[in-house]
Amino acid sequence: MSEMNPKTRTLCVVGPTASGKTALAVKLAKALNGEVISCDSMQIYDRLSIGTAKPTTEEMEGIPHHLIGFADPRVPFSCADYVPLAKAVIDDITARGKLPVFCGGTGLYLDSVLSGTEFSAAPADTAVGDELRAEFARNGIDGIYAHLQELDPASAEAIHKNNAKRIIRALEIVLTTGKPKSVWDAESHNIPSPYHATVIGLDYKDRSVLHERINRRVTLMLEAGLVDEVRTLYEGGWLPEGSTAAQAIGYKEFSAYLRGEMTEAEAAEQIRTSTRRYAKRQLTWFRRNPAVHWLYPDTITPTAGKTTADILAEEAVRIFENDNP
C-alpha cells in the first residue's frame, strides 16, 4: 500500500477456549479506544448463549461488541458469510475513529478476513439469480445442488448442501461469467491485504492450568443453566439435525442426553473432553502463524495494585504500539 492509502490497523486477541481472551480484549479496547469484533463461529448464533460463552453485559464493561448472536441457528452459516460482515464492521469502527479489536478462537474466520480474501468477488446478475431461485422453488435443494455439482464440483464440495443461498450464488457466478466460483475465490487470494494486524495470543506454559480453566468453565456453564438452554433449543426446533449449531460443543452432547443416549454426568464429562481437544486444535492452528505475539498468564506474578490481567493488557498495548505498519 502507498502512504496515501495506508493499511487499516487492527488488534486481535486469539488463543484456545477459556484462556481469558474476552477479558483481555475488553481491557485493550478500553485502553486503545476500540470496539470488539467477535470471531467465534458459534457465538454468531442467536439463542446459543451459555454454551458458547457469549460475553455477558457485565463482562463487556460498556465496550460495544459486534457479530455476536445475530445468526439463525437453523440456517447454515460459513466463513464466506462471515468475512464480508466483518469487513463492514471494520469499516464502520474505523470510520468513527476507533480501533477494531478482534477476539475469538476461530482461526479460519480471522485469517480469511485479515488476508483480504474476497469471497465471490464475481459480478452479480439479478436475472440469472432470479431464475435460479425459481428453479430452487420448483425442484428443491437437491435439484440446484446437483446443478452445481455438474458445473462447479469444487464449490459444491465446499458448500453445505443445505445452504441454498450460497449454492445459488455459486451457480449464478459460473453461469454469468463462465468461470467457477472456486476459481474466483482462488484468484482473490492474490489481492494484497488492506489490514495491518497485531495479533496477541494467549496460552499457558503449564497445560494443566488451561485444562483446569476449561473444566471450571464447563462447571460454571452447568450452574448457569446450560441443560435448560439446550432443552429449550432442542424442543423448540432450533437445533435441527445436521445443522452446524447442533454440532457445537455442549449442545451436541446435551442433545444426546435429551434423546436418552447418555446420562447428564456422561454428557458433562464429554463436554470437558471435547473442549480440551478443541483447545488443542486451536493452538495448533494459531501456532502456525509466526506473527502471533504470545503471552502466558501463568508466568505472570501480580504486584501491588496490578492484577495479572492488568499486566497482560499493559504488555499487549506495548506490543501494539511498537508494531508499526
Side-chain angles (χ1 to χ4, degrees), residues 218 222 226-227 249-250 252-258 262-274:
V218 174
L222 293 170
L226 177 58
V227 178
I249 296 173
K252 178 181 179 180
E253 292 80 4
F254 276 122
S255 291
Y257 157 66
L258 293 172
M262 62 177 75
T263 66
E264 183 174 338
E266 288 171 340
E269 188 54 39
Q270 184 59 54
I271 291 169
R272 294 184 178 93
T273 300
S274 296

Side-chain angles (χ1 to χ4, degrees), residues 76-122:
F77 188 94
S78 70
C79 183
D81 299 309
Y82 175 83
V83 169
L85 296 176
K87 290 182 176 181
V89 173
I90 291 174
D91 290 345
D92 172 58
I93 293 172
T94 55
R96 290 184 281 107
K98 296 197 169 189
L99 175 71
V101 180
F102 278 95
C103 177
T106 305
L108 175 63
Y109 280 24
L110 182 63
D111 288 355
S112 295
V113 173
L114 298 181
S115 68
T117 297
E118 294 285 350
F119 287 96
S120 303

Side-chain angles (χ1 to χ4, degrees), residues 180-242:
K181 174 185 177 296
S182 50
V183 175
W184 282 95
D185 289 347
E187 290 175 349
S188 78
H189 287 283
N190 298 323
I191 301 171
S193 172
Y195 309 116
H196 177 81
T198 301
V199 186
I200 305 295
L202 289 180
D203 191 12
Y204 290 78
K205 291 287 188 179
D206 184 349
R207 193 48 43 85
S208 67
V209 175
L210 178 60
H211 289 171
E212 181 52 39
R213 288 177 63 90
I214 289 171
N215 291 340
R216 174 161 175 73
R217 169 173 284 189
V218 174
T219 298
L220 291 173
M221 286 178 174
L222 293 170
E223 292 174 353
L226 177 58
V227 178
D228 288 337
E229 179 177 89
V230 177
R231 179 180 288 110
T232 298
L233 292 167
Y234 182 76
E235 294 178 352
W238 293 97
L239 297 173
E241 186 177 351

Side-chain angles (χ1 to χ4, degrees), residues 287-318:
R287 285 285 178 190
R288 296 185 308 188
N289 182 358
V292 175
H293 301 270
W294 290 98
L295 299 178
Y296 299 90
D298 58 336
T299 66
I300 293 173
T301 302
T303 60
K306 286 187 180 180
T307 66
T308 297
D310 293 331
I311 297 170
L312 279 173
E314 288 178 0
E315 178 63 12
V317 168
R318 184 191 66 76

